[in-house]
Amino acid sequence: MRWRRRWAIEIKTPEQVARMRQAGLVVARTLRVLAEAVRPGITTADLDSIAAREIRAAGAVPSFLGYQGYPATICTSVNEEIVHGIPSPVKRLRGGDIISIDCGAIVDGWHGDAAVTVGVGEIAPEHERLLSVCEAALWAGLARARPGGRLSDISHAVERSVRTAGPYGVIREYVGHGIGTAMHMDPPVPNYGPPGHGPRLTAGMALAVEPMVVLGSRQTAELPDGWTVVTVDGSWAAHFEHTVAITPEGPWVLTAEDGGRPAGASLTSSTGARGEGGAADAR
Ligand code: MF3
Ligand code: CO
């Protein structure tokens, strides 16, 4: 990662951040419906249909469909698949599997992007823990999305959170990103690195933070479908993502339904989070 480069980072007005919140809520609600639909026997194509219906019903547009030729509304990555798995009518979930669901939506030209990993029925304790470790690392990173910090403070917090939890692999080839009028914008947001580097974080920036954590080696491979990324050693992977806006009062997690604010963040915001705070204590 070259921390020195000067990135062109889009700065949003509070009104524009509020519109991104609308996109974020569509993504959050869609992911909740999908997580509730996950059960043994359902196919990943079934989940894709549900996502398409939810996003359209909300008056939003799916951002993944057609993106660089991507053929579906969501990405569904099962077990050793890390990211960008393509939904398929022949991919039927079984009890004990874990599935990462990644979803993006556009409202009035503004993007939201988030992912969760959930278990199918009952899953092994080591997989429960993998999911918790990855989600906790995401929130550790989100808590650093505050004015005055540096971009790599987020990256470092994510990596340190995982390292503290145990000998997990943290994926390096795929990173988070700036987001706003497009899904993928400057700057890249790696999930590793030293603190105190990269651009200074300022109010009006929005980032998608998305750690991918594996039980084994962090080495990745792409399947012949040109999309699906898997672990080389076959170890299972978790992926969690949120879109966060940096506000004067701290991080505003636009794709958390409750407007969740990471531990340590202020619970009030001038950008519309009034009455939505309160998630911090729960995490
Ligand atoms: N959420 C993914 C990301 O942040 C997007 C999936 S790639 C797509 O990179 F092509 F499917 F859109
Ligand atoms: Co993303």
Side-chain angles (χ1 to χ4, degrees):
M1 198 69 226
R2 295 156 302 159
W3 286 112
R4 294 241 171 83
R5 195 185 135 174
R6 296 179 64 83
W7 306 99
I9 304 176
E10 183 178 79
I11 303 295
K12 287 79 166 163
T13 65
E15 291 69 28
Q16 291 170 332
V17 172
R19 288 210 232 160
M20 286 187 70
R21 171 62 167 162
Q22 296 313 309
L25 279 174
V26 172
V27 171
R29 289 169 182 151
T30 301
L31 283 176
R32 174 168 48 77
V33 170
L34 291 170
E36 284 165 3
V38 166
R39 62 176 59 92
I42 198 168
T43 70
T44 53
D46 294 333
L47 296 173
D48 196 70
S49 305
I50 294 170
R53 198 178 66 217
E54 287 293 321
I55 293 170
R56 306 280 185 195
V61 176
S63 53
F64 295 4
L65 187 64
Y67 178 84
Q68 292 182 10
Y70 187 73
T73 297
I74 54 174
C75 299
T76 50
S77 308
V78 180
N79 299 344
E80 76 284 355
E81 297 173 353
I82 303 166
V83 72
H84 300 165
I86 303 172
S88 159
V90 298
K91 189 113 184 174
R92 208 169 279 286
L93 299 180
R94 292 176 300 191
D97 286 348
I98 60 173
I99 177 171
S100 156
I101 306 172
D102 194 341
C103 180
I106 312 169
V107 173
D108 289 339
W110 294 92
H111 285 249
D113 183 10
V116 294
T117 306
V118 297
V120 183
E122 191 128 331
I123 63 174
E126 62 172 338
H127 297 141
E128 287 284 7
R129 181 151 164 78
L130 173 70
L131 270 47
S132 309
V133 166
C134 186
E135 187 170 20
L138 168 60
W139 282 92
L142 294 170
R144 299 291 178 161
R146 47 180 64 255
R150 302 282 288 269
L151 180 65
S152 87
D153 296 347
I154 298 173
S155 307
H156 181 72
V158 170
E159 182 174 38
R160 199 184 43 150
S161 176
V162 178
R163 298 266 168 261
T164 307
Y168 297 91
V170 178
I171 300 302
R172 294 187 173 226
E173 284 90 352
Y174 301 87
V175 299
H177 47 93
I179 182 169
T181 52
M183 174 165 64
H184 290 150
M185 307 185 81
D186 281 354
V189 184
N191 296 299
Y192 59 90
H197 292 263
R200 177 105 22 217
L201 301 176
T202 61
M205 291 180 179
L207 303 170
V209 183
E210 49 178 319
M212 285 146 258
V213 177
V214 299
L215 277 170
S217 157
R218 65 172 174 79
Q219 227 191 317
T220 68
E222 193 182 281
L223 294 187
D225 65 19
W227 284 100
T228 312
V229 179
V230 297
T231 57
V232 169
D233 65 7
S235 69
W236 287 17
H239 174 210
F240 282 83
E241 174 177 21
H242 272 306
T243 295
V244 63
I246 297 165
T247 79
E249 290 80 23
W252 183 9
V253 184
L254 302 176
T255 45
E257 266 191 288
D258 56 7
R261 292 193 172 249
S266 159
L267 294 180
T268 58
S269 167
S270 60
T271 51
R274 286 174 302 281
E276 296 178 336
D281 296 335
R283 294 185 204 271

